[in-house]
Amino acid sequence: MSNVQNDKASRAKSAEKIERAFFELIRERRYSDVSVIDICEAAGVARKTFYRNYESKAQVIERKADREFAKFLEQFNPETVDTRVMYLYVYERILSDKPFAAAMRDDNVIAILTEKIVEYFENIFETVHCNAPLFEPRLGGYYIRFFAVGLESLLKSWIDDDCKTPPMTMAALTEKLLYGVTRQTR
């Protein structure tokens, strides 16, 4: 293996340790109570290793969200897939990742994720919905914000309720509640 490949592999391993430690810590404490030093100690890495991989602890959340969104796009074509199937995927992914789900109980984490949802759906709305007959481009930002905050609110409420309602039921509810946003623009 070349030095470049070794460095990439080492950085990826460090980033994985940092992420795992961070999400375990915010399972037990508030986001604002977890410092970079805490993360580094829990991950067994130096602070410079943290900053070689991330600019901030918020970026740890953002990168995890980016990876999850990339997996989502690998699975689905937003132009053709049934929205309920997409929502079910989201609920099942959260259910399968307990540390991430626990982190979503924190308002600081949820605020970061809401902005990421806005970013992702800006891209989807631009490519999927902008030519739809009912879509009003000048109001597109409102559609996106309403969708992002609505989805975030449902996810947070579900997690706060210890995910008692089955993912399939939550997917159906999400589809029903956000129907106007997704259907008005198709």
Side-chain angles (χ1 to χ4, degrees):
M1 220 190 265
S2 73
N3 286 343
V4 172
Q5 289 172 321
N6 281 337
D7 187 48
K8 277 187 173 183
S10 177
R11 285 181 77 165
K13 189 174 182 179
S14 294
E16 186 179 310
K17 288 168 133 182
I18 290 165
E19 182 179 298
R20 189 175 31 252
F22 175 66
F23 283 105
E24 285 298 327
L25 286 168
I26 58 176
R27 226 178 152 165
E28 301 162 7
R29 297 188 239 164
R30 294 176 45 84
Y31 173 86
S32 58
D33 294 337
V34 175
S35 70
V36 170
I37 293 170
D38 295 333
I39 297 166
C40 293
E41 286 175 4
V45 300
R47 279 182 62 200
K48 73 178 186 176
T49 302
F50 179 92
Y51 287 112
R52 204 176 310 147
N53 287 282
Y54 303 100
E55 293 175 13
S56 65
K57 61 186 184 178
Q59 194 176 53
V60 178
I61 296 166
E62 291 168 352
R63 289 218 189 127
K64 174 148 180 84
D66 288 342
R67 281 194 317 280
E68 289 298 326
F69 188 66
K71 287 178 191 175
F72 173 84
L73 289 178
E74 287 173 10
Q75 295 261 329
F76 302 107
N77 176 348
E79 290 182 56
T80 58
V81 74
D82 178 15
T83 53
R84 187 176 302 186
V85 173
M86 289 191 305
Y87 299 142
L88 178 61
Y89 174 84
V90 170
Y91 286 100
E92 287 178 340
R93 286 294 301 146
I94 289 170
L95 197 58
S96 72
D97 191 341
K98 298 285 188 205
F100 189 60
M104 290 178 69
R105 291 177 191 253
D106 189 297
D107 290 337
N108 292 306
V109 174
I110 222 56
I112 294 166
L113 291 174
T114 299
E115 291 310 310
K116 293 306 285 183
I117 292 169
V118 168
E119 177 185 318
Y120 304 143
F121 283 90
E122 281 175 345
N123 295 333
I124 289 173
F125 269 58
E126 284 176 16
T127 58
V128 175
H129 302 298
C130 65
N131 295 320
L134 297 175
F135 184 70
E136 296 179 49
R138 65 186 177 82
L139 300 176
Y142 294 113
Y143 286 111
I144 293 164
R145 178 60 61 181
F146 184 83
F147 179 86
V149 172
L151 182 59
E152 169 264 308
S153 180
L154 287 169
L155 291 170
K156 187 169 186 326
S157 295
W158 182 61
I159 290 165
D160 286 345
D161 194 36
D162 293 323
C163 307
K164 290 178 186 166
T165 304
M168 182 65 82
T169 304
M170 289 304 299
L173 176 63
T174 304
E175 182 180 48
K176 182 185 274 186
L177 293 174
L178 296 176
Y179 179 85
V181 178
T182 57
R183 295 294 188 252
Q184 290 294 318
T185 58
R186 287 190 184 227

